[in-house]
Amino acid sequence: SMVFPAELEVTLAGRQRHTARVDVPAGAAGRDAAETTGLVRRKFRTASTPLLGEQRVEQVLQQVEHLEELVNLSELTDNLCAG
């Protein structure tokens, strides 16, 4: 797999420099799948909870986790619609 390292350099007002490098950024190919799944779930919760509420967010996550078992997607799409 291809690796795309990330590097950040910050220069402070006093010209002091700080650099950080990550060879395999979070969520990138080559990272642990469980770690990536956790990051995606956390990001979805953070972005969607204010709109959908905790209960619907958890329902959506469960439905997506078992997507292949759903007979149709209407319940999932209903849960994704705010209101």
Side-chain angles (χ1 to χ4, degrees), residues 3-26:
V3 176
F4 298 96
E7 185 171 298
L8 174 69
E9 182 177 296
V10 176
T11 304
L12 303 178
R15 297 190 178 237
Q16 184 179 20
R17 290 186 179 173
H18 297 274
T19 304
R21 178 185 170 93
V22 178
D23 290 327
V24 183

Side-chain angles (χ1 to χ4, degrees), residues 48 50-53 56 77-83:
S48 61
L51 299 171
L52 303 176
R56 282 175 56 192
T77 56
D78 288 348
N79 279 333
L80 286 168
C81 294

Side-chain angles (χ1 to χ4, degrees), residues 19-67:
T19 304
R21 178 185 170 93
V22 178
D23 290 327
V24 183
R31 294 292 286 230
D32 179 64
E35 175 190 26
T36 300
T37 299
L39 291 170
V40 170
R41 289 167 83 65
R42 187 174 328 127
K43 185 173 184 176
F44 179 74
R45 281 187 181 103
T46 300
S48 61
T49 298
L51 299 171
L52 303 176
E54 288 182 33
Q55 182 178 355
R56 282 175 56 192
V57 167
E58 292 307 316
Q59 287 174 342
V60 168
L61 288 170
Q62 286 300 310
Q63 289 168 325
V64 169
E65 190 170 311
H66 301 284
L67 194 60

